[in-house]
Amino acid sequence: MRRSLILGGVAVLEYTTAALAAEGGTGGWIAPFAVIAAGIGMAIAAGLCGLGQGRAVASAVDAMARQPGAAARIQTAMIIGLALIESLAIYTLVIALILLFVKGINFA
């Protein structure tokens, strides 16, 4: 685990060094780090939202098993909660796309 983290860190540093060397070393520190930040941010958001959704569904199913008469109300609350959790991942995706297309990716 530790070796893969070290290799990942070295790969990130090499990528930014190569990107700066391709630009002639005249700056451009924002673009490579914007791409890295967008990727890491989206990965963290997607993973944590997935964990949150799984935990919410597990709790809702447990509650429905304990009180079958309240299943409709529990299911409605669960769906609203899942929509709110998913909206956090969508907000992160929008921010990641802004980072990529405004600062990160040069098509010219």
Side-chain angles (χ1 to χ4, degrees):
M1 179 70 179
R2 185 174 178 186
R3 180 188 289 180
S4 63
L5 287 175
I6 292 172
L7 290 175
V10 169
V12 167
L13 292 175
E14 282 297 319
Y15 171 74
T16 56
T17 305
L20 290 174
E23 293 177 4
T26 60
W29 279 88
I30 296 175
F33 288 115
V35 173
I36 294 168
I40 292 173
M42 194 61 219
I44 291 172
L48 292 179
C49 284
L51 289 174
Q53 286 179 342
R55 192 166 182 188
V57 170
S59 296
V61 169
D62 185 42
M64 285 184 224
R66 290 175 188 256
Q67 294 187 358
R73 294 182 68 199
I74 293 169
Q75 185 178 9
T76 303
M78 178 192 66
I79 290 173
I80 292 171
L82 290 177
L84 293 173
I85 293 170
E86 189 64 32
S87 70
L88 294 174
I90 293 171
Y91 293 147
T92 306
L93 176 65
V94 168
I95 291 170
L97 290 175
I98 289 171
L99 280 173
L100 288 177
F101 289 111
V102 172
K103 295 288 183 186
I105 300 174
N106 293 327
F107 291 108

